[in-house]
């Protein structure tokens, strides 16, 4: 009903292509709209009703505590079992006691805020849709011109491994913490691939030896305050086309995952990271299990 009533506010000759072009060429993203005092969500951001999902909280999201995984063989076996169960049942789980200091996680969040809340003219230097030009790319909606509706979100993307950028290629507002966070997440990734390999009954180094842990990209999303949040979304439903996603969410929350046909809230846990088994690793799972079956 809301979507139907809103549609009558726009003329039939609405020019979506021009609105998209003007938004993109401003190079200020969604935050630029908010800074300009927008009081209504522009039509390009209004989502089809099917995209405006609901959620339930009747499920307990899995949490894997990595404490003792390197010092206690019995504890490690239990952790492997938890990783196996969460990966098979959910494809997602929280990790705690993962070894990344809380101070690093907090500074990473602050560094992202510093980038987005700095002077617009500084940010514009990084704004582009040509991901082949730079290892650090800032824009709003990578699929702006092809998606049915835009997400209420700005993003910057950094390709950090296997060939890390020169520090000078990264924004000064978050340069140091990006390099530190990259090192910390790579170490955590090695641990997770070991556990997943063991969960498959393989040598701990199996997935790492297959170069599953070779690359690392960091995406940092920013969700400005929205005047009509019931009409749009920060991120629409999608799957991650990688091996693993390590997600750091702030205490505002909003992340949801699809489980047993229902969208489930993933409540923020201080110091925790959300792990998502990506599409590529699921393919590896299938190929490895199939190979083991036929041996």
């Amino acid at each position: 009903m809301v979507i139907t009533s809103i549609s009558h506010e726009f003329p039939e000759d609405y020019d979506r292509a021009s609105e998209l072009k003007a938004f993109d060429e401003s190079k200020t993203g969604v935050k630029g709209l908010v800074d300009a005092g927008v009081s209504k969500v522009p039509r390009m951001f209004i989502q089809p009703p099917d995209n405006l999902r609901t959620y339930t909280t009747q499920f307990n999201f899995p949490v894997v505590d990595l404490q003792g995984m390197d010092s206690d063989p019995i504890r490690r076996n239990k952790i492997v079992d938890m990783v196996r169960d969460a990966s098979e049942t959910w494809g997602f789980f929280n990790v705690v006691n993962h070894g990344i200091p809380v101070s690093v996680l907090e500074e990473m969040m602050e560094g992202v805020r510093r980038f987005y809340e700095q002077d617009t003219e500084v940010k514009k230097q990084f704004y582009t849709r040509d991901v082949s030009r730079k290892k650090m790319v800032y824009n709003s909606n990578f699929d702006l011109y092809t998606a049915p509706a835009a997400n209420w979100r700005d993003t910057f993307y950094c390709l950090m491994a296997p060939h890390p950028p020169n520090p000078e290629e990264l924004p000064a507002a978050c340069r140091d913490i990006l390099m530190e966070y990259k090192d910390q997440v790579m170490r955590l990734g090695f641990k997770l691939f070991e556990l997943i390999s063991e969960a498959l009954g393989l040598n701990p180094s199996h997935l790492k030896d297959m170069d599953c842990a070779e690359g690392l990209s960091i995406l940092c999303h920013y969700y400005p305050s929205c005047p009509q949040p019931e009409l749009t979304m920060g991120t629409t439903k999608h799957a991650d086309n990688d091996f693993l996603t390590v997600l750091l969410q702030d205490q505002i929350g909003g992340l949801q995952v699809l489980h047993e046909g229902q969208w489930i809230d993933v409540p923020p846990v201080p110091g925790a990271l959300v792990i998502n088994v990506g599409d590529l690793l699921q393919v590896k799972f299938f190929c490895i299990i199939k190979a083991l079956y036929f041996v």
Side-chain angles (χ1 to χ4, degrees):
M1 291 177 62
V2 174
I3 300 299
T4 302
S5 64
I6 288 293
S7 67
H8 294 310
E9 297 182 11
F10 296 94
E12 292 299 321
D13 61 348
Y14 165 66
D15 188 349
R16 177 176 172 79
S18 294
E19 186 177 25
L20 292 171
K21 185 171 184 289
F23 171 76
D24 198 24
E25 290 182 348
S26 75
K27 299 184 178 182
T28 60
V30 177
K31 188 174 188 303
L33 297 176
V34 175
D35 290 344
V38 64
S39 60
K40 292 184 177 181
V41 170
R43 185 168 178 176
M44 59 182 277
F45 291 97
I46 295 178
Q47 294 287 336
D50 289 346
N51 280 359
L52 299 172
R53 56 184 181 258
T54 57
Y55 64 91
T56 178
T57 56
Q58 68 185 68
F59 293 92
N60 291 320
F61 193 74
V63 177
V64 177
D65 187 341
L66 300 185
Q67 185 72 43
M69 67 166 284
D70 294 322
S71 59
D72 185 341
I74 296 176
R75 174 64 185 158
R76 186 182 183 97
N77 288 337
K78 291 181 179 179
I79 293 172
V80 168
D81 289 341
M82 288 190 288
V83 168
R84 180 190 301 110
D85 181 65
S87 299
E88 291 178 347
T89 307
W90 286 78
F92 287 85
F93 52 93
N94 266 324
V95 289
V96 295
N97 291 316
H98 42 65
I100 302 180
V102 172
S103 59
V104 172
L105 302 181
E106 291 176 346
E107 175 59 16
M108 185 64 201
M109 297 296 296
E110 286 303 313
V112 173
R113 291 191 187 97
R114 285 195 300 270
F115 173 82
Y116 285 108
E117 295 172 5
Q118 68 184 324
D119 184 82
T120 299
E121 294 305 312
V122 177
K123 287 187 294 184
K124 282 184 177 181
Q125 301 173 36
F126 297 95
Y127 195 99
T128 181
R129 294 204 174 274
D130 185 357
V131 297
S132 65
R133 287 181 55 203
K134 299 179 179 179
K135 290 188 177 181
M136 194 286 184
V137 170
Y138 154 61
N139 59 43
S140 184
N141 289 263
F142 74 93
D143 55 353
L144 181 69
Y145 293 100
T146 58
N151 289 317
W152 195 261
R153 177 191 80 223
D154 297 330
T155 302
F156 72 78
Y157 162 90
C158 303
L159 182 61
M160 303 298 287
H163 306 295
N166 293 322
E168 293 75 18
E169 297 179 85
L170 300 175
C174 52
R175 178 180 299 152
D176 293 341
I177 190 57
L178 279 171
M179 299 300 287
E180 171 67 14
Y181 189 69
K182 180 260 296 184
D183 293 339
Q184 296 277 358
V185 171
M186 288 290 283
R187 284 194 285 270
L188 174 59
F190 294 153
K191 293 180 182 179
L192 293 171
F193 280 120
E194 284 185 5
L195 295 171
I196 293 171
S197 294
E198 291 178 48
L200 289 167
L202 303 168
N203 185 287
S205 65
H206 187 93
L207 291 173
K208 183 181 176 182
D209 291 343
M210 295 175 69
D211 293 332
C212 292
E214 185 178 45
L216 177 69
S217 299
I218 297 180
L219 282 80
C220 299
H221 299 310
Y222 186 84
Y223 305 94
S225 177
C226 182
Q228 295 174 296
E230 72 277 7
L231 299 182
T232 188
M233 297 198 73
T235 300
T236 46
K237 58 185 179 181
H238 66 281
D240 290 348
N241 58 345
D242 57 9
F243 289 107
L244 280 180
T245 298
V246 178
L247 188 148
L248 169 62
Q249 64 170 333
D250 62 20
Q251 297 310 302
I252 296 175
L255 176 66
Q256 298 174 349
V257 301
L258 187 63
H259 178 66
E260 297 184 0
Q262 299 182 75
W263 287 102
I264 311 299
D265 253 359
V266 181
V269 176
L273 293 164
V274 181
I275 308 302
N276 175 20
V277 178
D279 291 346
L280 292 178
L281 190 52
Q282 291 185 52
V283 171
K284 290 287 188 184
F285 270 140
F286 175 78
C287 293
I288 291 170
I289 291 171
K290 184 175 180 181
L292 291 173
Y293 179 80
F294 284 109
V295 168

